[in-house]
Amino acid sequence: MARVCELTGKKALVGNNVSHAMNKTKRKFNVNLRTKRFYIPEEDRWITLKVSASAIKTIDKKGIYAVLKEVERNGYI
């Protein structure tokens, strides 16, 4: 699973580069992914995830354990 967020499922989108002359060529809009280690105090262990920047912000807001439970409940993992 290259270039896919492990928590949100975000992946690259396809669009066009548009020149001044309105010539269109295909391009990719990649996701802003980071490989990051998270500590889960409830389980007393570290996990490494490939997550998007928006997922990191959500983890900072809600906490890693709550986000993992929410993702598990919604069925992405």
Side-chain angles (χ1 to χ4, degrees), residues 11-41:
K11 52 188 172 185
L13 296 173
V14 177
N16 288 312
N17 272 332
V18 182
S19 70
H20 185 68
M22 298 301 284
N23 297 329
K24 294 171 182 69
T25 56
K26 286 292 187 183
R27 63 160 292 182
K28 249 185 181 179
F29 293 92
N30 284 321
V31 182
N32 186 10
L33 290 180
R34 300 285 175 256
T35 302
K36 185 146 174 57
R37 287 178 71 216
F38 295 101
Y39 179 70
I40 306 173

Side-chain angles (χ1 to χ4, degrees), residues 33-63:
L33 290 180
R34 300 285 175 256
T35 302
K36 185 146 174 57
R37 287 178 71 216
F38 295 101
Y39 179 70
I40 306 173
E42 290 83 359
E43 298 178 8
D44 193 35
R45 68 184 184 113
W46 289 90
I47 58 169
T48 302
L49 297 173
K50 190 189 291 188
V51 293
S52 62
S54 62
I56 293 174
K57 289 179 183 182
T58 304
I59 291 168
D60 287 343
K61 183 178 180 179
K62 297 181 179 179

